[in-house]
Amino acid sequence: MTQSELLFERAQKVIPGGVNSPVRAFKAVGGTPLFIRKAEGSRMWDADGKSYIDYVGSWGPMILGHAFPPIVEAVQQAAARGTSYGAPCAAEVELADRVVRLVPSIDKVRFVSSGTEATMSALRLARGFTGRNKILKFGGCYHGHSDGLLVAAGSGVATLGIPGSPGVTPGTVADTLTAPFNDVAAVEAIVQAHGGDLAAVIVEPVAGNMGCVAPRDGYLQALRALTKACGAVLIFDEVMTGFRIARGGAQEAYGISPDLTCLGKIIGGGLPVAAYGGRAEIMDCVAPLGPIYQAGTLSGNPLAMAAGCAALDALQKAGSYQHLDALTVRLQVGLARAAQAAGVMLTINRVGSMLTPFFCRGPVSDFASAKASDTALFARFFHGMLANGIYLPPAQFEAAFVSLAHSERDIDETVATAAAVLAKLA
Ligand code: KE4
């Protein structure tokens, strides 16, 4: 047995499913999850010492590569000054200043410890600010696991909340509406029917949780206009896209100013940091300034704040995003050529340095078309790549990420490996 297999056997005795987050268990692709012993730059090493070029990047945070020296140093120095104070510290103000400066729609920001907390808090704030109850999310978009967001993906124009998990009561999702992503008519119908009681529309401006799916031209602009017209709060969940697809996130890339933004992943440099922020008029309603309650023991943790500052500072280097995009285009073009040569139907969605290969003709523009792809073939592709040292996301409905630590050589090695794997799949 490999070390990962032995560790997984032990883990399953004391941790449900042997993992602390379900997607890590390889359930979608089968097989035993790799236990990682070390990661540096573009690579990870498993418990058996085998190395992989990594395209999961901890599901987004590792845009600078693993063990990025300025982040490691910042965390080491912060730890030597104590690991948590439960009191305000300068590092919180330093990171908040950076976020407010870099994301124009954010006047004020509150740090929390996970994307789930950020979106849950942003929705409570939107409901408190508007005095309304209903919220709208989109099928295939994931915003963390708070009860009100765990609804079955809507089919058809709009679906009233149906619990998406045991333990979620019908009452907690009764005010959660769902509609297909990229369907403006569905949103118009919902605004028509519920606009007066719609507190918020929450969207991944570029979806990453059904695989990478871009907004259609005009879609985000339509959401902005419709929410403005009916008085609902527009929440961009940029936990994944923030500082990923552009320095100012999707809202910069698409020129939209949401009312609230959720951030996470990259702003913590790999440590537990997430945030929600937006217009002062709304944020000033958050306790202790306003009446809407939200709190957290480790919010603004000094080590996490130091890691976040180091990450955002490093991302200010001129040309960073152009370089990320160029590397990811190289990968996208290479994979497409390899699939064509192998006679395998492959649709590769890419936005910035996020991308997802779908084994179908395409286009993949919403959850229904994503689910229509050949996920069994994806699983075979995943394992073929893994066996040859390339670590892709172990699930079709996830995005792969390229980092500034990936070299052109890494990309070319990945493409060459894909060509060989795809040829065997055909
Ligand atoms: P966390 O609670 O996992 O920190 O963030 C939830 C969340 C919110 N919003 C978006 C757009 C997200 O992508 C996420 C979490 N992303 C997943 C990966 N698709 C995290 C991986 C996992 O669940 O282990």
Side-chain angles (χ1 to χ4, degrees), residues 141-160:
C141 287
Y142 174 70
H143 306 288
H145 62 88
S146 62
D147 280 9
L149 286 165
L150 284 186
V151 288
S155 55
V157 169
T159 311
L160 265 174

Side-chain angles (χ1 to χ4, degrees), residues 21-24 59 113-117 119 142-145 204 208-209 237-240 265 274 397-398:
S21 199
V23 72
R24 303 177 192 171
W59 305 100
S113 300
S114 72
T116 295
E117 266 191 281
T119 58
Y142 174 70
H143 306 288
H145 62 88
E204 290 183 60
N209 288 288
D237 177 352
E238 296 224 45
V239 166
M240 188 183 287
K265 298 182 192 277
F397 306 127
E398 295 289 354

Side-chain angles (χ1 to χ4, degrees), residues 207 210-214 328 332 346-352 354-358 362-366 369-370 399-400:
M210 56 180 109
C212 178
V213 175
T328 315
Q332 179 185 24
L346 195 65
T347 295
I348 304 165
N349 284 1
R350 178 193 67 82
V351 179
M354 301 170 45
L355 86 165
T356 301
F358 294 95
V364 175
S365 57
D366 59 15
S369 47

Side-chain angles (χ1 to χ4, degrees), residues 324-333 350 352-355 402:
L324 273 169
D325 288 3
L327 282 173
T328 315
V329 167
R330 189 183 184 102
L331 178 61
Q332 179 185 24
V333 169
R350 178 193 67 82
S353 55
M354 301 170 45
L355 86 165
V402 175

Side-chain angles (χ1 to χ4, degrees), residues 234-382:
L234 178 60
I235 303 173
F236 269 16
D237 177 352
E238 296 224 45
V239 166
M240 188 183 287
T241 56
F243 300 100
R244 166 60 64 178
I245 65 164
R247 193 165 282 117
Q251 52 197 272
E252 176 187 275
Y254 292 91
I256 303 277
S257 190
D259 301 306
L260 291 178
T261 299
C262 299
L263 297 168
K265 298 182 192 277
I266 288 170
I267 67 166
L271 270 70
V273 180
Y276 63 102
R279 291 181 11 224
E281 178 195 12
I282 304 176
M283 291 303 291
D284 286 351
C285 298
V286 178
L289 186 55
I292 298 165
Y293 196 70
Q294 180 267 313
T297 302
L298 297 176
S299 298
N301 172 274
L303 277 66
M305 297 292 106
C309 286
L312 296 192
D313 290 351
L315 287 170
Q316 301 318 304
K317 184 168 169 242
S320 296
Y321 288 89
Q322 291 79 352
H323 182 57
L324 273 169
D325 288 3
L327 282 173
T328 315
V329 167
R330 189 183 184 102
L331 178 61
Q332 179 185 24
V333 169
L335 291 176
R337 283 195 185 126
Q340 193 173 28
V344 172
M345 234 174 358
L346 195 65
T347 295
I348 304 165
N349 284 1
R350 178 193 67 82
V351 179
S353 55
M354 301 170 45
L355 86 165
T356 301
F358 294 95
F359 287 85
C360 64
R361 182 176 306 282
V364 175
S365 57
D366 59 15
F367 198 25
S369 47
K371 284 191 290 189
S373 63
D374 188 335
T375 53
L377 203 49
F378 174 86
R380 289 175 54 205
F381 178 64
F382 168 83

Side-chain angles (χ1 to χ4, degrees), residues 8 27 32 62-63 70 92 106 187 229 247 324 337 348 371 399 409:
F8 191 45
K27 282 266 182 256
T32 300
M62 297 293 114
I63 194 168
E92 293 169 275
I106 295 181
V187 183
R247 193 165 282 117
L324 273 169
R337 283 195 185 126
I348 304 165
K371 284 191 290 189
R409 187 157 167 233

